[in-house]
Amino acid sequence: EAGSGSACLVAGPAGIGKTRLTAELAERASARGTTVLTGRCIQLVGAGLPYLPFVDAMRAVCEWPDPGSVLAQVGSRLALFEAVVAELDSVAPALVVLEDLQWADASTLDMVAFLAHAVRERRILLVGTYRSEEVRAGDPVRRLDAETLVLEPLTPGDIDALVVARSETP
Protein backbone atom coordinates (compact mmCIF):
# COMPACT_ATOMS: atom_id res chain seq x y z
CA GLU A 1 0.00 0.00 0.00
CA ALA A 2 2.90 2.35 0.71
CA GLY A 3 4.35 2.06 -2.79
CA SER A 4 7.04 -0.56 -2.37
CA GLY A 5 6.00 -3.99 -3.62
CA SER A 6 7.59 -7.36 -3.18
CA ALA A 7 7.45 -10.98 -4.24
CA CYS A 8 7.08 -13.99 -1.98
CA LEU A 9 6.92 -17.72 -2.53
CA VAL A 10 5.03 -20.03 -0.18
CA ALA A 11 6.37 -23.57 -0.25
CA GLY A 12 5.30 -26.75 1.46
CA PRO A 13 3.92 -30.22 0.89
CA ALA A 14 0.48 -30.82 -0.59
CA GLY A 15 -2.27 -30.14 1.93
CA ILE A 16 -0.13 -28.13 4.36
CA GLY A 17 -2.21 -24.95 3.98
CA LYS A 18 -0.59 -22.87 1.23
CA THR A 19 -3.91 -22.18 -0.46
CA ARG A 20 -5.64 -21.47 2.85
CA LEU A 21 -2.89 -19.02 3.80
CA THR A 22 -3.08 -17.15 0.49
CA ALA A 23 -6.89 -17.14 0.66
CA GLU A 24 -6.72 -15.48 4.08
CA LEU A 25 -4.21 -12.95 2.73
CA ALA A 26 -6.50 -12.26 -0.24
CA GLU A 27 -9.52 -11.80 2.01
CA ARG A 28 -7.68 -9.32 4.23
CA ALA A 29 -6.22 -7.45 1.25
CA SER A 30 -9.62 -7.22 -0.43
CA ALA A 31 -11.17 -5.86 2.78
CA ARG A 32 -8.59 -3.04 2.65
CA GLY A 33 -9.50 -2.14 -0.92
CA THR A 34 -6.69 -3.99 -2.66
CA THR A 35 -7.36 -5.54 -6.07
CA VAL A 36 -6.91 -9.30 -5.70
CA LEU A 37 -6.06 -11.38 -8.76
CA THR A 38 -5.66 -15.14 -8.52
CA GLY A 39 -4.42 -17.61 -11.12
CA ARG A 40 -3.51 -21.26 -11.02
CA CYS A 41 -1.14 -23.51 -12.93
CA ILE A 42 -2.44 -26.92 -13.83
CA GLN A 43 -0.63 -30.19 -14.30
CA LEU A 44 -0.80 -31.16 -17.94
CA VAL A 45 0.32 -34.37 -19.59
CA GLY A 46 2.16 -32.63 -22.43
CA ALA A 47 3.69 -29.21 -22.87
CA GLY A 48 2.57 -26.46 -20.52
CA LEU A 49 0.29 -23.60 -21.48
CA PRO A 50 2.33 -20.39 -21.56
CA TYR A 51 1.14 -17.69 -19.14
CA LEU A 52 -1.91 -19.71 -18.01
CA PRO A 53 -2.05 -18.41 -14.41
CA PHE A 54 -1.66 -14.83 -15.64
CA VAL A 55 -4.46 -15.21 -18.17
CA ASP A 56 -6.57 -16.71 -15.39
CA ALA A 57 -5.75 -13.90 -12.95
CA MET A 58 -5.96 -10.99 -15.39
CA ARG A 59 -9.43 -11.92 -16.68
CA ALA A 60 -10.83 -10.11 -13.64
CA VAL A 61 -9.46 -6.75 -14.81
CA CYS A 62 -9.07 -6.97 -18.59
CA GLU A 63 -10.15 -8.89 -21.65
CA TRP A 64 -7.47 -11.40 -22.50
CA PRO A 65 -7.94 -13.73 -25.43
CA ASP A 66 -5.61 -16.68 -25.71
CA PRO A 67 -2.00 -15.88 -24.73
CA GLY A 68 -0.66 -16.55 -28.22
CA SER A 69 -2.79 -13.81 -29.75
CA VAL A 70 -1.87 -11.41 -26.93
CA LEU A 71 1.81 -12.08 -27.61
CA ALA A 72 1.26 -11.52 -31.35
CA GLN A 73 -0.52 -8.22 -30.68
CA VAL A 74 2.22 -6.76 -28.49
CA GLY A 75 5.04 -8.00 -30.71
CA SER A 76 7.57 -9.26 -28.17
CA ARG A 77 7.83 -10.93 -24.80
CA LEU A 78 9.21 -7.74 -23.26
CA ALA A 79 6.22 -5.79 -24.55
CA LEU A 80 3.89 -8.47 -23.14
CA PHE A 81 5.61 -8.38 -19.74
CA GLU A 82 5.47 -4.56 -19.72
CA ALA A 83 1.77 -4.68 -20.67
CA VAL A 84 1.05 -6.93 -17.70
CA VAL A 85 2.94 -4.58 -15.37
CA ALA A 86 1.04 -1.58 -16.79
CA GLU A 87 -2.29 -3.35 -16.28
CA LEU A 88 -1.37 -4.21 -12.69
CA ASP A 89 -0.26 -0.62 -12.11
CA SER A 90 -3.66 0.57 -13.30
CA VAL A 91 -5.47 -1.45 -10.59
CA ALA A 92 -2.93 -1.01 -7.78
CA PRO A 93 -2.67 -1.62 -4.95
CA ALA A 94 -2.81 -5.20 -6.16
CA LEU A 95 -2.22 -8.66 -4.79
CA VAL A 96 -1.42 -11.27 -7.42
CA VAL A 97 -1.58 -14.87 -6.19
CA LEU A 98 -0.25 -17.59 -8.49
CA GLU A 99 -0.94 -21.12 -7.26
CA ASP A 100 0.96 -24.33 -8.01
CA LEU A 101 4.04 -22.87 -9.69
CA GLN A 102 5.64 -26.33 -9.59
CA TRP A 103 3.60 -26.99 -12.78
CA ALA A 104 4.41 -23.68 -14.51
CA ASP A 105 6.06 -23.72 -17.91
CA ALA A 106 9.24 -21.76 -18.63
CA SER A 107 7.41 -18.78 -20.18
CA THR A 108 5.23 -18.39 -17.10
CA LEU A 109 8.23 -18.57 -14.79
CA ASP A 110 10.00 -15.96 -16.92
CA MET A 111 7.05 -13.62 -16.43
CA VAL A 112 7.04 -14.35 -12.69
CA ALA A 113 10.77 -13.52 -12.57
CA PHE A 114 10.18 -10.29 -14.50
CA LEU A 115 7.33 -9.26 -12.19
CA ALA A 116 9.31 -10.16 -9.06
CA HIS A 117 11.82 -7.55 -10.19
CA ALA A 118 9.27 -4.99 -11.47
CA VAL A 119 6.99 -4.94 -8.41
CA ARG A 120 9.69 -3.52 -6.15
CA GLU A 121 8.84 -0.03 -7.36
CA ARG A 122 5.07 -0.49 -7.40
CA ARG A 123 2.13 -1.10 -5.09
CA ILE A 124 1.96 -4.76 -6.06
CA LEU A 125 2.48 -7.88 -3.96
CA LEU A 126 3.22 -11.02 -5.98
CA VAL A 127 2.72 -14.30 -4.11
CA GLY A 128 3.36 -17.71 -5.63
CA THR A 129 2.84 -21.13 -4.13
CA TYR A 130 4.49 -24.43 -4.93
CA ARG A 131 4.62 -27.96 -3.60
CA SER A 132 8.08 -28.40 -2.14
CA GLU A 133 8.07 -32.18 -2.64
CA GLU A 134 7.66 -31.69 -6.41
CA VAL A 135 10.49 -29.18 -6.83
CA ARG A 136 14.12 -30.27 -6.75
CA ALA A 137 17.18 -28.15 -6.07
CA GLY A 138 18.01 -26.25 -9.25
CA ASP A 139 14.45 -26.32 -10.63
CA PRO A 140 13.53 -22.96 -12.21
CA VAL A 141 10.92 -22.10 -9.56
CA ARG A 142 13.65 -22.20 -6.89
CA ARG A 143 15.72 -19.69 -8.83
CA LEU A 144 13.06 -16.97 -8.66
CA ASP A 145 14.20 -13.81 -6.90
CA ALA A 146 11.66 -13.84 -4.08
CA GLU A 147 11.54 -14.46 -0.37
CA THR A 148 10.37 -17.97 0.43
CA LEU A 149 8.13 -18.94 3.31
CA VAL A 150 8.33 -22.68 3.95
CA LEU A 151 5.28 -24.15 5.68
CA GLU A 152 5.91 -27.21 7.84
CA PRO A 153 3.57 -29.47 9.83
CA LEU A 154 2.56 -28.32 13.30
CA THR A 155 4.32 -30.00 16.21
CA PRO A 156 2.24 -31.55 19.02
CA GLY A 157 3.07 -28.49 21.14
CA ASP A 158 1.88 -26.17 18.35
CA ILE A 159 -1.39 -28.11 18.12
CA ASP A 160 -1.88 -27.89 21.91
CA ALA A 161 -1.28 -24.13 21.83
CA LEU A 162 -3.71 -23.71 18.93
CA VAL A 163 -6.44 -25.68 20.72
CA VAL A 164 -5.92 -23.67 23.91
CA ALA A 165 -6.03 -20.38 21.98
CA ARG A 166 -9.26 -21.38 20.24
CA SER A 167 -10.98 -22.78 23.34
CA GLU A 168 -13.31 -20.74 25.51
CA THR A 169 -12.22 -22.66 28.60
CA PRO A 170 -8.70 -23.75 29.51
Side-chain angles (χ1 to χ4, degrees), residues 26-48:
E27 185 178 309
R28 290 180 184 204
S30 181
R32 294 176 65 117
T34 298
T35 302
V36 177
L37 306 172
T38 304
R40 178 177 300 280
C41 299
I42 58 173
Q43 186 176 24
L44 298 171
V45 175

Side-chain angles (χ1 to χ4, degrees), residues 46-156:
L49 292 173
Y51 314 117
L52 177 64
F54 289 101
V55 172
D56 195 21
M58 300 297 284
R59 280 191 179 122
V61 292
C62 64
E63 288 293 321
W64 266 31
D66 75 277
S69 66
V70 171
L71 186 58
Q73 289 174 9
V74 295
S76 73
R77 286 180 62 191
L78 178 59
L80 174 64
F81 292 3
E82 291 287 348
V84 170
V85 170
E87 192 66 38
L88 293 174
D89 266 340
S90 75
V91 297
L95 167 63
V96 181
V97 178
L98 304 173
E99 296 271 359
D100 294 318
L101 288 177
Q102 74 275 1
W103 296 324
D105 67 297
S107 294
T108 298
L109 291 177
D110 284 346
M111 187 179 290
V112 172
F114 183 87
L115 283 177
H117 174 74
V119 299
R120 294 179 184 151
E121 304 162 6
R122 294 171 167 81
R123 296 170 44 192
I124 300 167
L125 174 59
L126 175 65
V127 178
T129 69
Y130 69 90
R131 293 182 180 177
S132 54
E133 73 274 16
E134 294 190 32
V135 176
R136 295 177 190 78
D139 277 356
V141 74
R142 288 197 186 243
R143 295 194 312 252
L144 294 172
D145 184 19
E147 292 184 37
T148 301
L149 171 63
V150 179
L151 301 183
E152 297 178 356
L154 296 174
T155 66

